[in-house]
Amino acid sequence: MLIKGLIIVLGLFCCQLQAQEPVTLQLKWTHQFQFAGYYMAKHKGFYKEVGLDVNILPAKLSMPDSFDAVAQGEVQFGIGHSGVLQQRIAGKPLVAMAAILQFSPYCWMVKDSSDIFHARDFITKRVTTSGKREDTELLIMLQRSGINTDRLAHYEGDNPTRAWIDNKVDAMQVYVTDLPYYMAQQGIAHRLICPQRYGMDLYADILFTSQSMLKNHPQTVESFYQASLKGWRYAMMNMDEAIAVTQQYAPHKSPHQLAYEAEVLKGYVTVPSTHLGNMSMAKWRLIADLYGVEQSDFDKVKTSFIYKYQEPERLQLSWMLLAAIIISIISIPLYLRLIFKK
């Protein structure tokens, strides 16, 4: 009876060890290669290995920001733009974990026949206005080049893309892998004028969580962090596989389009001078300056704004190893009993 009881307890223990903790990641847009690292972390079992059952939710296009959802505990993790710093200063208890894109993916797109080659050439030009906080750096770039953005002719129509094609707009705000691909497919020659060219290396696609999540579930946050970066490393080293897996999430996109996204974004994710997901306080200070954040306000949050992760333990006992140890311990008395019976 004792042996049977131990076996039952062992079975229950193993089941508990296998249980996966459910967490949700809220994306900042619809499914596309922009989030391939998270898809791969789930597909390859990296999340499962650390005991997590991750649900990856696409953004609501009517309200793509995930700041409120994470701050209010509706989801555990989110992807956001560099405005996460402003959100923290404004009182939302958010913690930045990793910057997947080391540069801003937002640019101005102009036709190849345009006379706009530099930011200073935007004087008297007609531009689109998206109204999104995440590409505010495009206007800041113009302002730093001496352009009074209030005097620009802003297009307020319903279809800015059509207006740009019909030459009713000179420059359009775009994401580097979206409309540029569409225009190339349509045979419309164009060029991009991007903040990075003017020394504005803003972080983008920032993985973040809440202070309460970090305080109450530190190991969950650490596990999600490590598994996510592992997924991104795998995606960057196995692009064809990552594209195939991404298409399972984004069947509305062709393999060719996803391959285009992958090729463009790779240069934003893997930067020779730094490691994957890197963030520095110095760069965040520069970002704060660009957004007009006061030094005193920045100082109030800087010590707890960037996630201070812990190195993973060198020895991690899996549930199978633990089960084997327990079975071995249980078997010793049985083995000795058999010996003495002889």
Side-chain angles (χ1 to χ4, degrees):
M1 291 296 293
L2 176 61
I3 300 301
K4 289 183 178 180
L6 288 173
I7 293 174
I8 292 173
V9 171
L10 176 61
L12 293 173
F13 178 68
C14 291
C15 289
Q16 289 179 344
L17 286 172
Q18 294 183 70
Q20 304 290 300
E21 180 182 358
V23 296
T24 298
L25 170 65
Q26 176 75 63
L27 305 181
K28 65 190 289 286
W29 199 244
T30 56
H31 290 303
Q32 53 191 5
F33 194 87
Q34 180 181 359
F35 312 110
Y38 305 108
Y39 304 147
M40 295 310 297
K42 183 169 183 175
H43 180 76
K44 301 302 292 185
F46 301 153
Y47 288 135
K48 188 175 182 180
E49 288 174 0
V50 294
L52 298 178
D53 179 15
V54 178
N55 180 30
I56 304 176
L57 289 180
K60 298 177 182 178
L61 296 186
S62 59
M63 189 180 297
D65 283 347
S66 55
F67 298 132
D68 288 336
V70 174
Q72 295 169 9
E74 297 173 6
V75 299
Q76 290 72 44
F77 302 95
I79 308 297
H81 49 80
S82 57
V84 64
L85 174 60
Q86 292 172 298
Q87 295 290 323
R88 176 59 187 273
I89 291 173
K92 287 188 175 67
L94 303 177
V95 179
M97 298 172 62
I100 301 303
L101 303 186
Q102 292 294 302
F103 313 111
S104 171
Y106 294 96
C107 300
W108 290 105
M109 182 173 68
V110 301
K111 287 187 177 177
D112 202 41
S113 58
S114 170
D115 61 353
I116 301 176
F117 295 92
H118 304 282
R120 62 176 180 268
D121 298 330
F122 275 72
I123 294 178
T124 72
K125 299 303 181 181
R126 301 161 299 175
V127 301
T128 60
T129 303
S130 67
K132 294 185 295 184
R133 287 173 291 178
E134 58 194 279
D135 48 12
T136 303
E137 60 261 29
L138 294 180
L139 294 178
I140 296 175
M141 177 184 75
L142 300 185
Q143 293 166 1
R144 295 182 69 187
S145 298
I147 303 297
N148 185 338
T149 54
D150 293 332
R151 294 184 178 180
L152 293 175
H154 292 268
Y155 178 78
E156 304 290 351
D158 295 331
N159 194 337
T161 301
R162 186 74 256 171
W164 184 84
I165 293 175
D166 294 339
N167 294 316
K168 296 177 181 178
V169 174
D170 299 302
M172 180 166 54
Q173 300 179 27
V174 297
Y175 191 91
V176 290
T177 62
D178 190 6
L179 286 176
Y181 173 83
Y182 174 78
M183 295 306 166
Q185 292 299 104
Q186 298 298 312
I188 301 175
H190 61 275
R191 59 175 171 270
L192 300 177
I193 301 174
C194 307
Q196 182 184 352
R197 178 178 171 185
Y198 296 87
M200 296 175 60
D201 296 343
L202 279 72
Y203 292 132
D205 281 20
I206 298 156
L207 173 65
F208 66 96
T209 189
S210 65
Q211 284 183 302
S212 61
M213 182 68 187
L214 182 56
K215 178 181 178 181
N216 298 323
H217 306 279
Q219 188 53 54
T220 299
V221 173
E222 171 68 2
S223 296
F224 186 85
Y225 172 87
Q226 296 290 350
S228 295
L229 291 188
K230 186 176 181 180
W232 273 109
R233 292 188 192 97
Y234 188 94
M236 292 296 98
M237 296 178 65
N238 302 271
M239 298 286 275
D240 290 341
E241 183 180 354
I243 290 169
V245 171
T246 299
Q247 193 170 34
Q248 297 176 22
Y249 289 85
H252 59 288
K253 294 200 170 189
S254 69
H256 184 272
Q257 184 174 4
L258 291 173
Y260 175 88
E261 293 179 2
E263 187 63 32
V264 173
L265 288 179
K266 185 175 183 179
Y268 288 74
V269 177
T270 56
V271 180
S273 60
T274 188
H275 61 80
L276 178 67
N278 178 64
M279 295 187 299
S280 71
M281 189 58 68
K283 188 167 177 177
W284 274 114
R285 177 61 255 181
L286 292 174
I287 293 173
D289 288 338
L290 289 174
Y291 283 101
V293 174
E294 295 292 336
Q295 179 71 49
S296 58
D297 292 331
F298 180 78
D299 290 341
K300 291 177 183 178
V301 303
K302 68 178 183 180
T303 56
S304 57
F305 174 63
I306 296 180
Y307 173 55
K308 296 178 178 61
Y309 64 92
Q310 299 176 351
E311 292 293 334
E313 296 180 5
R314 293 185 178 277
L315 177 63
Q316 295 184 343
L317 296 180
S318 68
W319 71 269
M320 294 184 66
L321 179 57
L322 289 172
I325 293 173
I326 294 173
I327 291 173
S328 298
I329 295 174
I330 293 174
S331 301
I332 291 175
L334 294 175
Y335 178 71
L336 293 175
R337 187 176 178 182
L338 289 172
I339 292 178
F340 285 117
K341 273 190 174 182
K342 293 180 180 179

